[in-house]
Amino acid sequence: MESASVPVGQTAADHHHGPPEAHQSSRIDRATLGILIFIVSEAMLFGAFFASYFFLRVVSNEGSWPPEGFELPVAIAGVNTAILVSSSFTIHWALESIRKGNRRGLQLGLMATWLLGAAFLFIQLNEYIHIGFSARDGAFGSIFYGLTGLHGAHVFIGLLLLTFANLRAFKGHFGPEAKSHLGVELPGIYWHFVDVMWIVVFTVVYIL
Amino acid sequence: MDNPLRSEAAMFRLVVLVGLAAVPVVALGLLAGATWALVAIVLELAAAVFLVRRGRGRAQPPPPTCSSR
């Protein structure tokens, strides 16, 4: 009887009525919910570091901020910001490509994103080497390395995720259907989050 | 407003939005000083709150109407 009520062109699974399956929301799938909760917890972690930064800035007895003797390479960090923002465009392009069935575009986009992320991390490490102060040099040194280092660690994790996505893309694992490229979509959400966080870190630490 | 964490496309729009919002803040911070950058942030946050509130007002469902039946 049930098969008679299914419209032409749809299977019984497409025409599912009633509550969703156990442990499965009808509004969001488990993997996306997982990355959502993870990113919210990450945002709170960054929030704690920003709270420390502003607390130290407010209670600092130094006349200026950063204190005398601390010189930040704003131009280099600006170029690094442009590199990281560009990587958000390339991963978005990669996903748009696979949604249209263009595997070559996916591979090129993911590879470009990985290279831009690696370049960002390399430039940041180079900045650490030449910046002229360490995390032991007072409160500013500690919070500078704490905030930028926390973000750098997130870029590193993002690069690991992108490495797996790249390997899978070159093995032809992803397809145009939404479920078949979740392995790029979720690292993409994470990568955009890392990007947004860097824009905030750059503005707060280097500009304000 | 869509949850930006639900899809990559929505999150990408957030990146573009935050990036565009940061441009005048960074420009003012470099050219005029940190105080003006802070003023720009406050103005942008106020504009964002206003736009979100106005968007919510428009998204309200229509009031229920009484049916004759």
Side-chain angles (χ1 to χ4, degrees):
Chain A
M1 281 298 284
E2 193 181 319
S3 61
S5 65
V6 176
V8 177
Q10 284 189 12
T11 64
D14 292 333
H15 198 69
H16 175 71
H17 284 294
E21 293 170 33
H23 310 300
Q24 175 82 42
S25 165
S26 59
R27 299 185 66 185
I28 188 165
D29 66 85
R30 281 167 290 191
T32 312
L33 180 64
I35 198 86
L36 194 155
I37 292 170
F38 174 63
I39 285 177
V40 168
S41 71
E42 293 286 85
M44 289 180 191
L45 181 64
F46 271 97
F49 273 75
F50 279 116
S52 305
Y53 177 86
F54 285 114
F55 175 77
L56 288 173
R57 190 167 177 165
V58 167
V59 302
S60 169
N61 290 324
E62 312 283 345
S64 60
W65 188 269
E68 292 289 323
F70 291 91
E71 205 61 45
L72 295 180
V74 179
I76 293 170
V79 171
N80 230 5
T81 306
I83 288 172
L84 202 61
V85 171
S86 308
S87 72
S88 263
F89 282 83
T90 53
I91 199 165
H92 181 67
W93 175 57
L95 265 156
E96 286 298 314
S97 297
I98 195 62
R99 283 183 191 124
K100 292 170 187 160
N102 177 4
R103 286 178 193 276
R104 192 76 190 140
L106 170 78
Q107 291 166 349
L108 283 174
L110 280 176
M111 181 64 85
T113 308
W114 194 93
L115 288 173
L116 288 167
F120 173 88
L121 213 52
F122 176 77
I123 291 171
Q124 193 174 18
L125 289 174
N126 203 41
E127 184 187 311
Y128 284 170
I129 293 167
H130 295 104
I131 202 163
F133 62 89
S134 75
R136 293 180 179 182
D137 293 333
F140 180 78
S142 300
I143 198 63
F144 172 82
Y145 278 94
L147 251 176
T148 57
L150 177 74
H151 182 269
H154 281 77
V155 174
F156 181 73
I157 292 166
L159 281 178
L160 287 181
L161 296 176
L162 285 174
T163 303
F164 289 118
N166 264 296
L167 291 174
R168 291 186 64 194
F170 279 92
K171 284 185 174 180
H173 281 195
F174 303 118
E177 301 83 27
K179 288 262 177 189
S180 65
H181 58 255
L182 214 55
V184 187
E185 177 107 18
L186 300 184
I189 293 173
Y190 178 78
W191 194 255
H192 290 319
F193 164 74
V194 169
D195 206 343
V196 168
M197 275 298 135
W198 177 253
I199 294 171
V200 179
V201 170
F202 172 71
T203 307
V204 167
V205 175
Y206 290 85
I207 302 297
L208 289 185
Chain B
M1 186 183 166
D2 283 344
N3 175 3
L5 300 177
R6 189 171 285 180
S7 75
E8 183 275 337
M11 197 66 187
F12 176 69
R13 282 197 293 276
L14 185 71
V15 173
V16 173
L17 193 71
V18 173
L20 288 176
V23 169
V25 174
V26 172
L28 273 173
L30 292 175
L31 296 173
T35 311
W36 286 104
L38 206 61
V39 169
I41 290 175
V42 171
L43 286 176
E44 284 183 355
L45 285 176
V49 168
F50 172 75
L51 289 173
V52 167
R53 283 177 67 95
R54 201 178 66 168
R56 274 192 187 161
R58 281 185 183 170
Q60 292 287 332
T65 54
C66 294
S67 164
S68 57
R69 293 181 66 186

